[in-house]
Amino acid sequence: MCFPALFSMASAFSSPPSLCVSLSCSERSSRDRHKPHSRDSSSRSDKNVTISATSVQPQQPDQSSAPTDAQDDNWGETTTAVTGTSDHSLSQEDLAGFGKDTEGPVEKLNCIRFLPLALTLLLGLLVLVTPLSFLILPQLMWPERLQTCGTACEGLFLSLAFKLLILLLAGWALFMRPTRASLPRIAVFRALLGLLTLLLLLSYWLFFGVRILDSQDDNYQGIVQFAVSLVDALLFIHYLAVVLLEIRHLQPCFSLCVVRSTDGETHHYNMGQLSIQRAALVILEHYYKDFTVHNPALLTAAKSRAAKHLAGLKVYNVDGAGSDAATAQSRAKMAAAARQRDTSHNELYYEEAEHDRRVRKRKARLVVAVEEAFTHVRRLQDEEKKKPPGDEMDPREAAQAIFPSMARALQKYLRTTRQQHCHSMDSIQAHLAFCITNNMTPKAFLESYLTAGPTLQYGRESSQTRHWTLVSEASVTSPLRNGSEFQLKSSDFSLVVTSKTIPHLKLSEEYVHPKSHKFVLQLQSETSV
């Protein structure tokens, strides 16, 4: 079915199942309102658009800065259990209480989310009912005056039925897909298609009312052909929707450079002719699968090092308390910090070397512990094969049995690499059970912890609601241009996007004669070969 009008109206108000977009536009940020407006900045206007990914859980604070989990941070260091590879004892039930993820309150349903579906069904019903009404109304209002058209009408009925079926399937394939996000502003092409469809239906209804209903036309074959022409026009509008919405932006025209503001991780994406808001949506989709998980704990090393140097300084006032004692103390600290800055590179070098040594040490212990645990699992699997089918151990039970033997080494490695907020005990045990079920190697199990993965692979990042703010000097509905710049701000960092036009490539052909690059080697008699 052809639904371009419905989806064009729905794109301005919709809130899809996967992403939700809310809009807040301001001419200046609140910080700029307290500053005097300069002459250069009087003609500039910043537009902020807040984009949020909807989920069943509300937004939570950063796990590293404000740990709100019920999980004990020392789950691997302060607990042991009886297993085949451990001699220390604590019951398995003691481990079950740790690692429980906190469940936030369920987000209230937003009625606006169902508005696009309602509009879609309404316009789809109108498109489907209109050609059928053209055929049924004359049969109900003046059936005795209609002329029989025989075989010609039957052929037109068959053509109309198949065209409606094709239109229904094509509309379902193009418009009934789950929308990724509702755009903050109206989509120009969807609005154009919706307006065109509404004008087409209105024109056909006006023509049908004036030329057929008022005059009670008795040529039923002409009425059937009129309904068939409407379905043909709707099919052409659907073809136009495919070209504008699906094909037009496939050819790459711009190269977008996306830089994360905190750690400088950079990725490049080629995009077609999209608006700024559509480009921002595509970038966010790529961010969750291409960028590694954001770890703010790795960014606090420099701040903690500077604070440690300043905390170690002591200032003594030998002249007694005076009016400028605080000023003299701050100057003394600044002078000491300046002298410390001259030798700080040596401290940084040795600190990083010591950290790398500790990481390698923790990694070696972790690898040995995991290999021993998996060896114990294989031995248990060989023993389970000899037992009856009903007495075999479940993979989840096997993971819980061998987890305490590697818990201490894994916990120390995660704390050393500052990844303890990314992995809970339940997620580690679930991953261990998954590896045991699929007969994976210890290296496959450790890969998730030795190498930082994309953001989408971490349960907490994918489950919580993420709010993004689109900051752009140009209108978010304007198309991408060469040099366009905008930001996608989150609570912890921002993505700075810069677009460059892909240059026009010109290839020229140069013909090389087959014999032009051949040569003849002439050997003399005195030449030694």
Side-chain angles (χ1 to χ4, degrees), residues 17-18 53-60 103-109 113 462-466:
S18 58
T54 60
S55 178
V56 291
Q57 294 185 1
Q59 184 180 9
Q60 301 173 357
E103 296 181 359
V106 179
E107 184 179 341
K108 296 182 179 179
L109 293 178
R113 294 179 55 186
S462 60
S463 62
Q464 66 183 3
T465 303
R466 299 292 297 180

Side-chain angles (χ1 to χ4, degrees), residues 392-458:
E392 295 181 357
M393 182 180 295
D394 186 76
R396 181 71 178 181
E397 298 177 356
Q400 293 177 355
I402 68 171
F403 175 70
S405 62
M406 67 176 72
R408 183 181 178 85
L410 180 58
Q411 191 266 348
K412 286 189 175 183
Y413 177 79
L414 293 179
R415 291 184 62 183
T416 304
T417 57
R418 298 182 178 89
Q419 302 182 57
Q420 67 274 13
H421 67 281
C422 298
H423 305 279
S424 64
M425 180 179 293
D426 287 343
S427 64
I428 295 174
Q429 290 185 356
H431 181 57
L432 181 58
F434 175 78
C435 294
I436 294 175
T437 304
N438 295 276
N439 196 19
M440 293 185 178
T441 61
K443 184 177 181 180
F445 169 77
L446 290 171
E447 187 64 24
S448 300
Y449 310 103
L450 301 182
T451 305
T455 305
L456 197 60
Q457 298 300 321
Y458 293 85

Side-chain angles (χ1 to χ4, degrees), residues 109-129:
L109 293 178
N110 192 355
C111 297
I112 302 179
R113 294 179 55 186
F114 301 97
L115 182 61
L117 180 60
L119 294 177
T120 302
L121 295 178
L122 180 62
L123 187 59
L125 183 63
L126 180 62
V127 171
L128 180 62
V129 168

Side-chain angles (χ1 to χ4, degrees), residues 148 177 201 265 354:
T148 58
R177 296 173 298 178
L201 292 177
E265 184 173 353
E354 177 65 18

Side-chain angles (χ1 to χ4, degrees), residues 110-361:
N110 192 355
C111 297
I112 302 179
R113 294 179 55 186
F114 301 97
L115 182 61
L117 180 60
L119 294 177
T120 302
L121 295 178
L122 180 62
L123 187 59
L125 183 63
L126 180 62
V127 171
L128 180 62
V129 168
T130 297
L132 298 179
S133 300
F134 292 165
L135 301 179
I136 295 176
L137 288 179
Q139 294 285 355
L140 297 178
M141 299 181 64
W142 61 93
E144 67 281 352
R145 298 183 53 185
L146 293 177
Q147 299 177 0
T148 58
C149 53
T151 307
C153 286
E154 294 177 357
L156 292 176
F157 286 152
L158 187 61
S159 174
L160 180 64
F162 275 97
K163 287 180 180 179
L164 283 177
L165 179 61
I166 294 173
L167 189 60
L168 176 64
L169 296 177
W172 170 81
L174 182 60
F175 297 107
M176 292 302 293
R177 296 173 298 178
T179 53
R180 298 171 295 177
S182 60
L183 300 179
R185 303 290 180 87
I186 187 172
V188 178
F189 290 119
R190 289 182 179 271
L192 176 63
L193 293 171
L195 180 62
L196 183 60
T197 304
L198 290 176
L199 288 177
L200 178 65
L201 292 177
L202 181 61
S203 301
Y204 267 81
W205 271 112
L206 290 176
F207 186 86
F208 181 78
V210 173
R211 300 295 300 271
I212 297 178
L213 290 181
D214 290 346
S215 62
Q216 293 186 354
D217 191 2
D218 57 354
N219 186 9
Y220 192 66
Q221 182 178 356
I223 297 176
V224 175
Q225 290 179 348
F226 180 74
V228 172
S229 65
L230 172 61
V231 178
D232 292 338
L234 291 174
L235 285 174
F236 279 106
I237 291 181
H238 183 274
Y239 169 74
L240 181 61
V242 173
V243 173
L244 293 180
L245 302 179
E246 300 296 329
I247 299 179
R248 181 176 178 271
H249 64 273
L250 293 181
Q251 182 180 3
C253 299
F254 300 93
S255 175
L256 272 65
C257 176
V258 184
V259 183
R260 188 156 58 186
S261 60
T262 52
D263 55 0
E265 184 173 353
T266 305
H267 289 271
H268 294 81
Y269 302 104
N270 290 342
M271 295 186 185
Q273 298 178 358
L274 296 174
S275 62
I276 293 179
Q277 60 182 359
R278 289 285 305 276
L281 177 60
V282 175
I283 288 173
L284 289 180
E285 292 175 348
H286 286 290
Y287 167 77
Y288 282 101
K289 70 181 183 64
D290 291 342
F291 281 77
T292 58
V293 62
H294 181 254
N295 193 354
L298 298 176
L299 306 175
T300 59
K303 296 181 180 179
S304 61
R305 189 184 306 111
K308 181 177 64 175
H309 291 331
L310 292 178
L313 297 177
K314 294 183 180 180
V315 180
Y316 299 93
N317 188 6
V318 297
D319 296 332
S323 58
D324 57 345
T327 305
Q329 184 176 0
S330 62
R331 290 178 179 176
K333 285 187 176 182
M334 293 176 60
R339 289 191 298 270
Q340 185 71 25
R341 196 181 305 119
D342 297 336
T343 59
S344 60
H345 61 281
N346 291 329
E347 297 182 4
L348 176 61
Y349 172 77
Y350 288 110
E351 183 178 346
E352 291 182 351
E354 177 65 18
H355 180 266
D356 293 341
R357 186 192 66 82
R358 291 180 59 192
V359 170
R360 291 195 301 268
K361 182 180 179 180

Side-chain angles (χ1 to χ4, degrees), residues 38 54 74 260 356 387 395 499 529:
S38 62
T54 60
N74 299 323
R260 188 156 58 186
D356 293 341
K387 297 181 180 180
S499 66
V529 180

